[in-house]
Amino acid sequence: MIELKSAEEIGRMAVAGQFVGELLAELKDVAAVGVNLMDIEHHARGRIKQRGAESCYWDYAPSFGRGPFRNVLCLSVNDAVLHGLPHEYVLRDGDLVSIDMAVGIDGWVADSALSVVVGTPDPEDLKLIEATEVALEAGIAAAQPGGRLGDVSAAIGEVARSYGYGVNGEFGGHGIGRTMHEDPHVANSGRAHRGMRLDPGLTIAIEPWFCRSTDKIKFDEDGWTIRSADGSRTAHSEHTVAITPGGPQVLTRRP
């Protein structure tokens, strides 16, 4: 069931969104050559506890994972793109890391992600990250009241193709509000003017993610970490967005 939110409820989601945006900006600076992924994870745990927020990831147990997720971040490195389990790994020069997080504050949730290269970047990695960011902004711009969900998906897919990347259809964005994952599913490719109507009060997480040279994925043995099937680099960007009478409102903008 899709629950449309009131302006007051969107405002409460924006409180969570502001915290998520600020913390992601902070974590982007924490991620550096020589830093252990677990140090980034524990930094986030401390900030979430300090704020009195609740991680949406901790104890999350969907059908595809092996046991509950016991971290507050997804940290996906290089060919890993989604649901990466934080573990004992020290970031190396040129690593591409995607940081994804969702928290709830006073019963309302926000979800966002970014990708960054630590140390010396490969231009192809920067291009890949740029593509996800441009696709994200295109998807947001297409999320107009009275439009269709397919407008968002089509905008993302068009950007992917313009950069020469394929789009995987197994994982995409989603509705969000009182919980992290709600209806509807927001695909990263689709047909404009199709799908459900984008009514004011709809809140969605838009999250394009691309692999450099494939649209196929594989899972690690942990049941969580998703990688490109061919081992190529990957990137992921995400914002929580509310459809309002005046247009899309990004709730997780970073300072």
Side-chain angles (χ1 to χ4, degrees):
M1 185 180 75
I2 295 171
E3 177 189 11
L4 299 180
K5 284 77 174 179
S6 67
E8 188 269 338
E9 289 170 334
I10 290 172
R12 293 173 68 183
M13 288 182 66
V15 172
Q18 180 179 356
F19 173 71
V20 168
E22 290 173 349
L23 182 49
L24 271 178
E26 192 174 309
L27 295 174
K28 184 177 181 180
D29 290 335
V30 173
V33 176
V35 173
N36 194 304
L37 292 182
M38 291 309 300
D39 292 335
I40 303 173
E41 164 71 15
H42 285 290
H43 184 98
R45 289 186 195 182
R47 293 283 283 111
I48 290 169
K49 181 178 180 180
Q50 182 184 45
R51 178 60 179 81
E54 293 185 4
S55 170
C56 298
Y57 292 172
W58 196 272
D59 278 343
Y60 182 56
S63 59
F64 58 81
R66 287 191 183 173
F69 198 85
R70 288 294 172 85
N71 297 279
V72 302
L73 298 176
C74 290
L75 295 173
S76 306
V77 180
N78 295 333
D79 63 326
V81 64
L82 297 173
H83 311 151
L85 282 173
H87 60 284
E88 294 291 339
Y89 175 82
V90 176
L91 289 170
R92 303 167 185 171
D93 187 47
D95 276 347
L96 194 167
V97 58
S98 298
I99 308 172
D100 190 359
M101 64 173 292
V103 304
I105 295 177
D106 297 328
W108 294 93
V109 172
D111 188 2
S112 188
L114 59 78
S115 295
V116 63
V117 177
V118 299
T120 309
D122 181 331
E124 288 300 316
D125 288 343
L126 296 182
K127 175 188 171 185
L128 183 63
I129 293 172
E130 177 186 276
T132 66
E133 294 172 342
V134 172
L136 177 57
E137 292 303 321
I140 293 167
Q144 296 295 329
R148 298 286 176 175
L149 191 60
D151 300 341
V152 177
S153 300
I156 293 170
E158 183 177 347
V159 170
R161 289 186 290 274
S162 74
Y163 275 83
Y165 304 127
V167 177
N168 176 278
E170 296 171 70
F171 291 88
H174 49 88
I176 188 170
R178 298 179 189 273
T179 62
M180 176 172 59
H181 286 145
E182 300 179 353
D183 290 332
H185 173 70
V186 184
N188 285 329
S189 185
R191 297 176 65 184
H193 315 303
R194 300 294 181 94
M196 66 169 286
R197 179 184 171 93
L198 299 176
D199 290 323
L202 178 68
T203 49
I204 54 178
I206 301 174
E207 52 177 314
W209 59 273
F210 308 139
C211 308
R212 191 190 284 187
S213 57
T214 185
D215 60 0
K216 302 295 190 296
I217 57 173
K218 61 183 179 181
F219 284 80
D220 276 4
E221 290 185 4
D222 60 33
W224 286 103
T225 306
I226 296 175
R227 299 182 184 275
S228 62
D230 64 356
S232 61
R233 293 271 175 118
T234 64
H236 176 205
S237 295
E238 177 182 17
H239 274 310
T240 295
V241 180
I243 312 301
T244 77
Q249 177 185 353
V250 179
L251 305 182
T252 49
R253 285 285 187 208
R254 295 182 283 277

